[in-house]
Amino acid sequence: MKPTPLTPPPADAAARKAVAPVVCYPTETLPQPDLSAYRSLRDSLTLVESVTVPPRDARCFSVPAGHVFRIRSVEGPQVGDLNLWNAKDLSERFYSGKTRALNGTHVGLGDRLYSSFPHLRPMATIIHDTLDWYGFDAFGGACHDVIGTRCDPYTHALLSDGGQYHHCCHSNLTRALAEHLGLSLAEAEGHVHDVLNVFMCTGFLKDTGQYFMKASPVRPGDYLEIFAEIDLLGDLSACPGGDCSTVHSSDVAACYPLVVEILKPAALPEGWASPPVSAYDRTHGTGLAKEEGGSR
């Protein structure tokens, strides 16, 4: 629980709290995907590859631009932690924070997954979600969040007086990437980043603001389908929390595999091309300072 405030409220406290919120990043000018065009691809998808992610472990997979990847629940309720990179440049990777700022705390049908600075472009677009019926529940929980960072051994050690657990999603993603790219664990770990929590049902407690998880509604047969806007390298961990109904960072929860299917459409939407990188010129004000004859 958070401590009781020590500062007495000012006389206009109620008025200050009553100020209406303003959306930080209005998206009216943000280019929107033609979802009908993307969804029309689904009728012609051909399976290219299938990758099984074992429980409490991770696997990497590649998705060429213009292909689709589908993350499936196959044996039991299971959540997954997803990392994405530009397959040709690992410095461009999924940026969960900006994706959250533009889409909200949870992503779903029609939402786009954005890449890190200085690229900041859609890496992928969600084109189908069998859990889109869930919405937000009475607790404020929803599926596929971009607010959790991934379970990791460092936080586990912090909260368990130095406890050592090696199958947190962070470690799973690190091992898989190291094996896939032939990197050392130390080299691979630097590339692992905040995730898309696939199928995970989460939110924030209203009284304390704490991040919560609850049993995922995912069942065998459910899937999330994502269109690759650029050549992607993916890394998916089958979280040790299973459906995240009780605990994670342990071997207590029942865990199940996940399957990633790579699918090729017969044709791409007319006029489709990989999105360009950000149009920002990256001068960060230096050009302006020179023009004004000074420095800032």
Side-chain angles (χ1 to χ4, degrees):
M1 295 295 292
K2 295 185 181 295
T4 302
L6 299 177
T7 305
D12 63 345
R16 295 192 198 186
K17 289 186 176 183
V19 173
V22 176
V23 174
C24 292
Y25 293 98
T27 56
E28 288 80 7
T29 60
L30 189 67
Q32 298 298 319
D34 181 354
L35 194 56
S36 62
Y38 283 104
R39 290 177 63 79
S40 68
L41 303 177
R42 304 188 66 246
D43 297 330
S44 66
L45 294 174
T46 300
L47 181 65
V48 174
E49 183 182 8
S50 182
V51 177
T52 298
V53 182
R56 296 185 177 87
D57 209 343
R59 290 293 184 271
C60 289
F61 56 93
S62 297
V63 190
H67 286 52
V68 170
F69 67 101
R70 181 185 292 156
I71 300 174
R72 299 180 62 94
S73 168
V74 290
E75 292 183 16
Q78 176 67 44
V79 308
D81 286 41
L82 177 67
N83 267 187
L84 293 173
W85 297 267
N86 179 338
K88 300 174 181 176
D89 178 7
L90 294 188
S91 71
E92 183 177 9
R93 61 193 192 185
F94 173 54
Y95 188 176
S96 67
K98 193 58 67 178
T99 298
R100 178 175 65 248
L102 293 171
N103 292 310
T105 56
H106 299 74
V107 294
L109 186 62
D111 286 331
R112 313 188 92 169
L113 310 180
Y114 284 84
S115 65
S116 54
F117 297 156
H119 315 87
L120 194 63
R121 59 174 167 172
M123 305 179 78
T125 302
I126 297 174
I127 62 172
H128 196 74
D129 175 16
T130 64
L131 293 179
D132 61 359
W133 57 267
Y134 192 88
F136 282 88
D137 60 33
F139 302 98
C143 298
H144 314 309
D145 84 68
V146 281
I147 47 181
T149 58
R150 66 200 175 277
C151 59
D152 68 89
Y154 303 101
T155 304
H156 176 74
L158 178 68
L159 298 176
S160 63
D161 193 26
Q164 304 294 300
Y165 184 70
H166 304 298
H167 291 88
C168 293
C169 287
H170 177 86
S171 296
N172 298 343
L173 295 167
T174 298
R175 288 195 313 275
L177 187 65
E179 180 178 355
H180 185 77
L181 295 179
L183 302 175
S184 68
L185 289 173
E187 290 171 325
E189 186 175 22
H191 293 293
V192 172
H193 50 278
D194 287 351
V195 299
L196 166 58
N197 281 309
V198 179
F199 304 140
M200 193 170 181
C201 188
T202 60
F204 293 106
L205 296 178
K206 293 180 180 179
D207 55 347
T208 64
Q210 289 172 289
Y211 178 53
F212 73 74
M213 63 184 188
K214 56 178 293 191
S216 172
V218 69
R219 295 294 182 269
D222 281 319
Y223 59 91
L224 185 68
E225 206 167 80
I226 304 175
F227 178 86
E229 301 284 356
I230 63 174
D231 290 335
L232 293 174
L233 171 62
D235 193 356
L236 180 68
S237 170
C239 181
D243 68 355
C244 288
S245 58
T246 52
V247 295
H248 56 62
S249 303
S250 76
D251 292 333
V252 174
C255 291
Y256 303 93
L258 293 169
V259 169
V260 181
E261 296 173 339
I262 315 303
L263 305 122
K264 181 179 180 179
L268 291 170
E270 184 178 353
W272 175 85
S274 288
V277 298
S278 172
Y280 180 60
D281 64 12
R282 302 185 68 185
T283 58
H284 303 292
T286 55
L288 179 62
K290 291 177 180 178
E291 290 174 9
E292 295 178 350
S295 61
R296 296 188 175 190

